[in-house]
Amino acid sequence: MAQKGYSDIGTKLYHAEITGGAIPVQGFKWLVPVKSTSDKGSEPEQIDITSLDEVRNSYTAGRLDTPTQTYVLNNTPENATKVSDVCGKLHAFLEVYSDGTSVLMVGNGTTWINGVSLNSARDRTLAITCEDIIEKSETETTALLAEA
């Protein structure tokens, strides 16, 4: 019987510093525990190609967007230090799922403390402005997580 779906349990965020412009092929290290992640893609832009003799608007697909990736995490001193250390310089990030697959993202991070409300945890956000987002198979993910 085919797997019907997968749980969020076990989702982890790893990172590796990019040196010399090359994305590391192994040696990614666990960054911090995360509470939520964001969509890895988006709908393409819509370009209006309607002519005046048409009754309905017509569109064609425009460019795809590489959305900023946001991760919410507990705002502990240890987590704050770890995410601050990866901000401001190009890094590779790897979001790994319970089935062993992952998404590789290349970009720069920014972090901030989130607002608080009644009866809530104190959170922090790590936002990654991505140059690229690439899906990776279980085999590819295993190689990226191998010791350097």
Side-chain angles (χ1 to χ4, degrees):
M1 178 179 246
Q3 179 79 26
K4 290 179 81 173
Y6 296 96
S7 171
D8 63 298
I9 297 171
T11 300
K12 292 183 177 180
L13 182 63
Y14 293 80
H15 76 101
E17 191 167 349
I18 294 178
T19 55
I23 298 171
V25 296
Q26 61 186 20
F28 279 72
K29 303 292 182 202
W30 188 32
L31 183 56
V32 290
V34 296
K35 297 168 71 170
S36 67
T37 72
S38 53
D39 293 343
K40 302 300 173 261
S42 64
E43 297 175 10
E45 292 179 7
Q46 198 173 355
I47 300 171
D48 189 338
I49 57 170
T50 309
S51 59
L52 293 175
D53 62 327
E54 294 177 285
V55 177
R56 291 180 175 258
N57 288 346
S58 300
Y59 301 93
T60 190
R63 291 180 179 84
L64 292 174
D65 192 11
T66 306
T68 296
Q69 296 299 296
T70 56
Y71 294 89
V72 176
L73 51 132
N74 289 315
N75 187 32
T76 64
E78 182 181 68
N79 286 347
T81 298
K82 286 181 178 181
V83 295
S84 293
D85 287 348
V86 301
C87 291
K89 51 192 165 226
L90 195 61
H91 262 71
F93 297 89
L94 192 67
E95 185 177 315
V96 179
Y97 306 111
S98 61
D99 66 349
T101 62
S102 64
V103 176
L104 175 67
M105 300 155 286
V106 175
N108 283 295
T110 304
T111 188
W112 61 86
I113 299 169
N114 297 359
V116 295
S117 61
L118 191 64
N119 221 12
S120 66
R122 288 181 44 213
D123 290 334
R124 170 176 289 276
T125 295
L126 169 64
I128 303 165
T129 304
C130 294
E131 293 180 3
D132 207 357
I133 300 174
I134 306 161
E135 291 185 51
K136 295 293 183 179
S137 69
E138 184 177 0
T139 302
E140 293 170 311
T141 301
T142 300
L144 290 165
L145 294 175
E147 290 295 322

